Amino acid sequence: MSAASSKEETVDINSKEVLISSDEIKKRVEELGRQISADYQGRELHLVGVLNGAFIFLADLARQLSIPCQICFLQASSYKDKKVSSGEVTLMHNLDLSRKEVLVVEDIVDTGLTLKYILEDLQQQNPESLEICALLSKNIPDKAPVPVKYVGFEIEDRFVVGYGLDFAEKYREVPHIACLD
Ligand code: 5GP
């Protein structure tokens, strides 16, 4: 698919279909927080947020945990200003996760290529454990086989924005998940 047309760039986000409301997100993030807190009880949890898209999800999730955690970020990009993955993943970080209990926090799993790449990269640091929590996971055929332990919502194959997810750096501040297509 091509880059945004000028029409898409000036779209009124309030006229777009709401796929997941802010209330639904809030409830699900609370549930995930409870589940993760129980699973990591007595362990030193390290949340690794994938920038930029996961910044709001991670901030809300961290505040739903009833256990202490440490928070850091890595930057991954594969979409640039397009609605389909370029297939090339660029990673930037300066993390030391050796022998740490790591939970990667991602906004959305589409093809799974980004997370596959991230897992391969972080595994080289020999963490004690390495799991993934994604707010959204798209139901698509031919997904890369990445084990996502915690999934907020399974969604159909639509291009979504809001709650941290962007299109050409817009709409991250929208409090719900909206369909842009
Ligand atoms: P994957 O490598 O799984 O195909 O893509 C993962 C990354 O692509 C996500 O972290 C996210 O940044 C971006 N992405 C995938 N699908 C969507 C989508 O529907 N909307 C937005 N805004 N980003 C997406």
Side-chain angles (χ1 to χ4, degrees):
M1 211 179 290
S2 64
S5 68
S6 54
K7 190 166 165 246
E8 281 170 325
E9 280 165 11
T10 56
V11 72
D12 173 12
I13 195 67
N14 295 317
S15 69
K16 293 290 180 180
E17 179 188 343
V18 176
L19 191 65
I20 309 171
S21 70
S22 56
D23 281 351
E24 289 173 300
I25 296 172
K26 187 168 177 287
K27 273 197 203 112
R28 187 69 186 117
V29 173
E30 285 168 5
E31 286 170 5
L32 287 171
R34 277 196 293 275
Q35 193 183 348
I36 292 165
S37 300
D39 291 353
Y40 285 87
Q41 195 70 49
R43 296 156 70 189
E44 278 191 42
L45 177 59
H46 286 69
L47 299 179
V48 177
V50 181
L51 293 172
N52 294 335
F55 79 106
I56 292 180
F57 177 40
L58 183 141
D60 285 348
L61 182 67
R63 286 175 292 177
Q64 292 305 325
L65 298 176
S66 57
I67 55 169
C69 67
Q70 293 187 30
I71 297 172
C72 54
F73 293 92
L74 61 77
Q75 180 131 36
S77 69
S78 66
Y79 273 44
K80 301 209 177 349
D81 291 350
K82 302 198 167 55
K83 288 184 185 168
V84 289
S85 174
S86 65
E88 291 166 36
V89 182
T90 313
L91 277 195
M92 277 189 297
H93 67 81
N94 188 19
L95 302 171
D96 176 9
L97 301 172
S98 168
R99 299 164 71 187
K100 298 197 170 137
E101 309 263 14
V102 177
L103 181 61
V104 175
V105 180
E106 172 67 304
D107 54 358
I108 186 166
V109 194
D110 183 2
T111 63
L113 286 177
T114 304
L115 277 173
K116 183 169 175 284
Y117 200 86
I118 289 172
L119 284 189
E120 283 170 6
D121 184 277
L122 298 186
Q123 200 73 61
Q124 288 174 15
Q125 299 195 1
N126 295 316
E128 183 68 30
S129 65
L130 183 56
E131 303 286 0
I132 298 167
C133 175
L135 177 70
L136 306 172
S137 177
K138 280 189 197 174
N139 267 321
I140 58 163
D142 304 326
K143 225 182 173 100
V146 276
V148 183
K149 184 162 185 183
Y150 307 97
V151 177
F153 302 91
E154 301 271 358
I155 63 167
E156 55 191 307
D157 189 8
R158 309 270 306 267
F159 191 83
V160 293
V161 294
Y163 199 68
L165 288 107
D166 76 312
F167 176 56
E169 294 305 326
K170 292 180 182 171
Y171 317 118
R172 292 193 195 276
E173 76 287 5
V174 173
H176 57 265
I177 302 288
C179 290
L180 211 57
D181 49 18

